[in-house]
Amino acid sequence: MEQIKTSFDFEKPIAELEQQIEKVKQVAEKTKVDMSATLTELEEKLDKTQQTLYSNLTGWQKVQMSRHPERPQTLDYIGMICDDFIELHGDRTVKDDKAIIGGFATIDGQTVMIIGHQKGKNTKERQYRNFGMANPEGYRKALRLMRLAEKFNKPVISFIDTMGAYPGLEAEERGQGEAIARNLLEMSVLKVPILCFIVGEGASGGALGIGIGDKVYMLEHTWYSVISPESCSSILWRSWDYKERAAECLKLTSEDMFKNKLIDGIIKEPLGGAHQNPELMGQTLKKQILDDLRVLKKEKTEKMITARIDKFCAMGVVNE
């Protein structure tokens, strides 16, 4: 039985059971006593504990899961899903933003344009990628690539995983708000299928900048909101101490978002999160992509665009 790699305080019951199982195995090996009945009982208890714990995570616990350092990122999914990938650089105006990557790829022989946030896995890479927080040139690069995909009639797939767009003074000077707003407008009427996947954090306009699509999905243990729980807590209570309460109030989990009809579906993760079995998570995403492209490619362009616009226009509408 493959053990769950634990990281968080709420996973302590699992860690304790895993330690008990390991001790029983060591005793059985050392004493040559048959302890299979005890092992079976402990393993059944572990499985039940895992199922119960991971199916009842709070909003803040899901935020923690989405930030796991070993959680797969855009480049990981590209490596698992795609047969090949040619990265394209630059917005042709300022520079190449490393926080957003994009380029043509093939999935089972189908050419697609993939765009996504990349946070980085270690300190050096995170600094290089600006922690996945894109500048205006990142969103303008994404738009350039989407227009290129439209020119060659290739679907667009976006992977969203960001704490938000970069909030620095220089980003605002170069038109951060305009760049994101432009992407919202252009993606709404793009003449090719667009699939969006929140694979980690989905915060604010930084996520929305590449988040308008015919289908928008969230992985099971991710979050999607106008603001992070910490920032919400600091604004409302002048302290980060209420971040757990803020996470519940924001209704940012995949279940909440699906219930409020803000996403099209939830993609189940391997037990314990995507980081426990990245290959399985990659296979699940690949199947979802191929299934959706098979359907969307049959639709007429005008009908597809109208449905996309109608879907987003219906969000937040109040009928008196």
Side-chain angles (χ1 to χ4, degrees):
M1 183 186 66
E2 186 178 348
Q3 291 187 344
I4 294 288
K5 295 174 284 186
T6 56
S7 299
F8 306 113
D9 289 341
F10 62 84
E11 292 178 308
K12 281 182 179 178
I14 294 173
E16 290 169 359
L17 283 169
E18 287 176 342
Q19 288 173 4
Q20 289 180 36
I21 290 170
E22 191 59 35
K23 285 179 182 177
V24 170
K25 286 180 178 178
Q26 289 173 1
V27 170
E29 186 177 346
K30 190 174 182 180
T31 61
K32 306 300 180 184
V33 176
D34 182 13
M35 304 189 75
S36 55
T38 306
L39 272 175
T40 301
E41 184 182 344
L42 283 171
E43 286 171 354
E44 286 176 356
K45 188 176 179 182
L46 175 61
D47 184 62
K48 187 177 180 181
T49 303
Q50 289 172 348
Q51 297 287 353
T52 303
L53 190 149
Y54 291 117
S55 61
N56 293 284
L57 294 177
T58 65
W60 175 245
Q61 288 169 345
K62 291 214 171 193
V63 170
Q64 290 178 286
M65 292 283 281
S66 74
R67 295 172 177 172
H68 195 285
E70 294 177 18
R71 191 175 180 86
Q73 299 179 14
T74 299
L75 283 174
D76 298 315
Y77 286 120
I78 288 172
M80 290 185 283
I81 293 171
C82 304
D83 305 318
D84 53 36
F85 174 64
I86 301 172
E87 187 175 357
L88 302 173
H89 300 271
D91 69 337
R92 301 296 186 265
T93 304
V94 180
K95 64 177 182 179
D96 181 39
D97 190 339
K98 307 299 183 183
I100 287 186
I101 60 171
F104 282 115
T106 55
I107 304 176
D108 276 8
Q110 297 185 60
T111 303
V112 298
M113 175 66 76
I114 293 185
I115 297 166
H117 298 100
Q118 181 69 19
K119 284 181 176 178
K121 293 293 185 74
N122 52 50
T123 303
K124 187 175 180 180
E125 192 180 340
R126 289 189 187 108
Q127 289 176 331
Y128 178 71
R129 299 286 181 185
N130 199 33
F131 298 86
M133 296 187 293
N135 280 279
E137 49 270 23
Y139 294 103
R140 291 179 178 128
K141 174 172 74 171
L143 180 56
R144 181 178 76 84
L145 299 184
M146 286 186 277
R147 284 173 173 163
L148 192 62
E150 184 181 53
K151 179 180 179 180
F152 294 105
N153 195 30
K154 302 301 178 187
V156 174
I157 298 165
S158 77
F159 294 115
I160 298 163
D161 185 12
T162 182
M163 296 179 286
Y166 183 61
L169 178 62
E170 61 273 25
E172 299 298 338
E173 288 174 342
R174 293 197 297 274
Q176 184 73 285
E178 187 278 336
I180 293 172
R182 175 68 59 184
N183 279 22
L184 300 185
L185 173 63
E186 298 285 350
M187 290 184 81
S188 298
V189 294
L190 205 70
K191 296 177 182 177
V192 292
I194 308 173
L195 303 179
C196 303
F197 297 90
I198 292 97
V199 296
E201 300 185 85
S204 193
L208 273 179
I210 58 170
I212 304 296
D214 302 293
K215 296 289 184 181
V216 180
Y217 295 102
M218 289 178 70
L219 270 60
E220 185 180 5
H221 302 312
T222 61
W223 65 275
Y224 197 21
S225 177
V226 70
I227 194 171
S228 70
E230 294 94 334
S231 298
C232 179
S233 176
S234 66
I235 291 171
L236 296 181
W237 292 284
R238 302 284 188 243
S239 168
W240 278 22
D241 296 339
Y242 299 91
K243 56 185 180 292
E244 294 181 31
R245 182 177 172 186
E248 296 305 317
C249 293
L250 285 168
K251 301 295 181 186
L252 43 65
T253 67
S254 55
E255 290 83 3
D256 291 323
M257 296 296 288
F258 185 67
K259 183 180 178 182
N260 291 324
K261 299 180 180 179
L262 297 172
I263 59 171
D264 296 287
I266 301 170
I267 299 177
K268 192 168 180 61
E269 296 186 22
L271 187 63
H275 57 281
Q276 300 291 350
N277 194 339
E279 292 77 15
L280 178 59
M281 191 71 254
Q283 291 170 15
T284 305
L285 277 178
K286 183 176 181 178
K287 183 180 183 302
Q288 188 67 57
I289 289 169
L290 293 174
D291 288 347
D292 282 329
L293 289 182
R294 197 176 299 115
V295 174
L296 289 169
K297 281 184 174 181
K298 294 177 182 177
E299 286 192 11
K300 290 185 177 180
T301 303
E302 294 78 11
K303 183 180 177 183
M304 181 180 69
I305 293 173
T306 301
R308 189 189 304 157
I309 293 172
D310 289 345
K311 179 176 73 171
F312 282 91
C313 286
M315 295 178 185
V317 173
V318 178
N319 296 317
E320 294 184 0

